[in-house]
Amino acid sequence: MTTPTAVCLLAAGKGTRMRSDLPKVLHKIADLPMLGHALNSAKSCAPSRAVIVTGHQAERVEKTAKELSPEAVCVVQEPQHGTGHAVLQAKEALEDFDGDVFILFADTPLIRPETLVAMAEARSKGAAVVVLGFEAANPGGYGRLIEGNGGLDKIVEAKDATEEELAVTLCNSGVMCVDSRTLFQLLDRVTNDNANGEYYLTDIVGLARADGLPCAVVRCDEEETLGVNSRVDLAAGEAAFQERARMAAMVGGVTLTDPSSVSFSHDTMLGQDVIVEPNVVFGPGVTVKSGATIRAFSHLEGCQVAAGAIIGPYARLRPGADIGEGARIGNFVEVKNATFSAGAKANHLTYVGDATVGEKANIGAGTITCNYDGYLKHRTEIGAEAFIGSNTALVAPVSIGSRTTVAAGSVIVENVADDALAVARGRQTNKPGLAARLREALAEAKAKVKDS
Ligand code: UD1
Ligand code: MG
């Protein structure tokens, strides 16, 4: 039987160096608050509980936490007396929990799910406390992991370390996996007798060893442990996330012709054999099915693109756009809350909002669904194989039947029946010779002005 797991996510910090009104852990990477990234990493261990320790702007952080993880319990740490004190706030919420507790930092969004799995394995092999460590290029202020006798002996905070300990480059990421009973027994014994006058979570390692309990280190790449403290770190986190997302897409069978110019969201789903041209931005909630092509400079969010469809170049798909198989959305076409059935096309300079477009319908250049009257939104229905002439305004609510033709330049305000032709524009009249006479009269008038 696998051991039950819980997550204790530390999210109380103020994040002064972000210089922001928004709490640090709510700043986004790939459209998801950092808090959500940490919760996502933990999903690999299928936690049955999540406790989020809030502090700075607790209500605001709790609101987002509940949206991301409705079952999570939020506890407030006020005032903040250190990481050990922070985890202690979760004691009550985890009182009846028996299993492994993962302690994660909400401002450390790049921990890989497989890293946490490796930590759970180390726990199952008998270590009471498993700490995630990394070889730091520049160990600076990180806590140092002091090993001995094949295990981890203690963690020393840089401020409290001896010269010899400071020379150690194996550093503490902050992430831990601890048996729940042991965790709170040890935490009750942690004191604040140190350089910062804080209750250090890291002290539980030394206490566990004094009790004869084995502790272990699991190592990861330094990149995973990136902690975000400033906007510069946030940009570095975003870059690292994007790099991973691009690699994952390509490994999954997506062609990216210029990977570094494509921006993903945390939840972008691209099927096999999707082709993405340069400078494409995926906002949240996009699914693109196999064999579709997203051409250069397109912007997609909250939309679905079916197999074989071609989007762009320079297309914009907004929330609720549902593009059917083999459909075509061309340059400078914006689609919002609208369904394009299989084979439907809008190739140029068009806005389709709050609409359904039937199979193989063809929407001419410059067509606009006038969906908004300044107060309410209204729908436009376009039937299968309808042909909408260029520069048509479809004033919603309006329904255009199947196999209809709408003449170019029409302003359509009334429904059009199946198989009908609709023309709604001024009738053309030609006056033979009139242009020539007009030019003569104007030339004469101009000559008179010059002479006077
Ligand atoms: C901590 C570790 C250090 C490690 C480093 C990695 C301790 C004592 N030290 O140091 O070994 O190398 O992280 O980045 O744990 N927090 C709270 N409540 C508090 C204090 C902190 O929620 O009272 C949260 C912070 O918001 C932050 C995290 O815990 O997300 C770490 O706190 P921070 O003050 O950055 O710890 P460090 O001094 O960096
Ligand atoms: Mg820190």
Side-chain angles (χ1 to χ4, degrees):
M1 213 192 82
T2 52
T3 315
T5 56
V7 174
C8 176
L9 187 61
L10 304 193
K14 185 153 186 245
T16 312
R17 278 176 285 161
M18 292 299 281
R19 293 180 180 270
S20 177
D21 289 336
L22 187 69
K24 175 165 79 171
V25 297
L26 300 188
H27 280 264
K28 290 179 179 174
I29 285 180
D31 303 311
L32 180 71
M34 284 196 277
L35 183 71
H37 284 273
L39 289 169
N40 278 351
S41 309
K43 280 186 190 154
S44 59
C45 299
S48 55
R49 303 269 188 103
V51 183
I52 300 173
V53 181
T54 65
H56 176 66
Q57 291 200 42
E59 274 174 31
R60 209 164 162 190
V61 174
E62 179 166 346
K63 185 168 173 282
T64 304
K66 290 278 186 192
E67 281 162 16
L68 293 169
S69 175
E71 334 68 54
V73 175
C74 291
V75 294
V76 182
Q77 182 201 18
E78 188 57 58
Q80 289 145 33
H81 288 313
T83 48
H85 178 248
V87 176
L88 259 184
Q89 312 308 307
K91 186 177 176 180
E92 214 180 291
L94 293 175
E95 207 156 40
D96 57 342
F97 174 80
D98 197 358
D100 290 349
V101 179
F102 278 96
I103 298 154
L104 301 173
F105 293 175
D107 61 0
T108 305
L110 296 172
I111 305 289
R112 289 182 190 272
E114 49 270 36
T115 300
L116 299 184
V117 172
M119 292 178 74
E121 275 167 20
R123 263 281 305 132
S124 69
K125 286 181 190 148
V129 180
V130 179
V131 176
L132 183 62
F134 64 102
E135 282 296 336
N138 182 6
Y142 287 118
R144 304 300 202 271
L145 302 186
I146 311 298
E147 290 178 295
N149 301 328
L152 178 64
D153 261 355
K154 61 173 175 175
I155 306 178
V156 188
E157 289 308 298
K159 278 189 184 168
D160 305 295
T162 63
E163 281 293 310
E164 201 183 328
E165 287 164 341
L166 280 176
V168 172
T169 53
L170 181 64
C171 290
N172 176 27
S173 69
V175 176
M176 290 193 192
C177 179
V178 194
D179 166 64
S180 55
R181 305 274 164 216
T182 313
L183 173 65
F184 294 108
Q185 276 163 20
L186 296 175
L187 274 178
D188 281 335
R189 286 153 54 194
V190 167
T191 67
N192 63 352
D193 181 17
N194 52 50
N196 275 346
E198 284 187 356
Y199 295 87
Y200 289 164
L201 170 64
T202 45
D203 281 356
I204 66 169
V205 172
L207 291 168
R209 294 298 298 126
D211 287 357
L213 297 171
C215 300
V217 183
V218 165
R219 288 168 167 76
C220 70
D221 286 341
E222 183 162 9
E223 182 220 65
E224 286 186 54
T225 70
L226 175 87
V228 173
N229 293 311
S230 67
R231 307 276 180 159
V232 176
D233 296 336
L234 187 67
E238 179 77 41
F241 181 92
Q242 292 298 336
E243 197 50 41
R244 281 187 192 179
R246 291 169 193 136
M247 286 305 290
M250 291 187 282
V251 168
V254 173
T255 294
L256 302 178
T257 49
D258 180 11
S260 68
S261 72
V262 176
S263 186
F264 287 90
S265 199
H266 66 101
D267 59 354
T268 307
M269 307 271 279
L270 305 182
Q272 201 172 304
D273 291 316
V274 165
I275 297 173
V276 182
E277 292 186 356
N279 297 296
V280 169
V281 175
F282 293 103
V286 176
T287 301
V288 181
K289 294 284 170 59
S290 26
T293 299
I294 312 298
R295 303 205 56 201
F297 295 98
S298 293
H299 190 287
L300 293 79
E301 60 184 314
C303 64
Q304 303 239 24
V305 177
I310 303 178
I311 309 300
Y314 297 98
R316 179 163 184 215
L317 300 186
R318 291 174 51 203
D322 187 349
I323 311 302
E325 266 184 45
R328 178 82 179 82
I329 305 296
N331 40 252
F332 306 107
V333 174
E334 174 181 341
V335 180
K336 185 219 72 169
N337 189 28
T339 301
F340 273 68
S341 303
K345 293 178 183 168
N347 270 327
H348 334 265
L349 303 161
T350 284
Y351 171 65
V352 178
D354 302 305
T356 51
V357 180
E359 278 188 24
K360 293 186 189 161
N362 190 328
I363 298 184
T367 297
I368 305 290
T369 53
C370 309
N371 59 329
Y372 187 47
D373 55 20
Y375 294 88
L376 293 169
K377 299 278 170 67
H378 303 283
R379 293 198 65 84
T380 301
E381 313 284 340
I382 299 173
E385 292 174 53
F387 181 92
I388 312 295
S390 296
N391 206 28
T392 291
L394 300 167
V395 183
V398 71
S399 162
I400 313 293
S402 298
R403 299 170 306 279
T404 48
T405 293
V406 173
S410 290
V411 177
I412 300 292
V413 295
E414 285 171 22
N415 293 347
V416 181
D418 291 352
D419 296 299
L421 170 83
V423 192
R425 64 186 184 215
R427 181 176 281 278
Q428 181 172 340
T429 52
N430 291 350
K431 315 260 182 193
L434 194 62
R437 278 173 21 225
L438 184 65
R439 277 200 301 274
E440 267 168 40
L442 291 172
E444 251 174 56
K446 192 171 180 180
K448 270 188 195 159
V449 174
K450 266 191 187 165
D451 292 346
S452 61

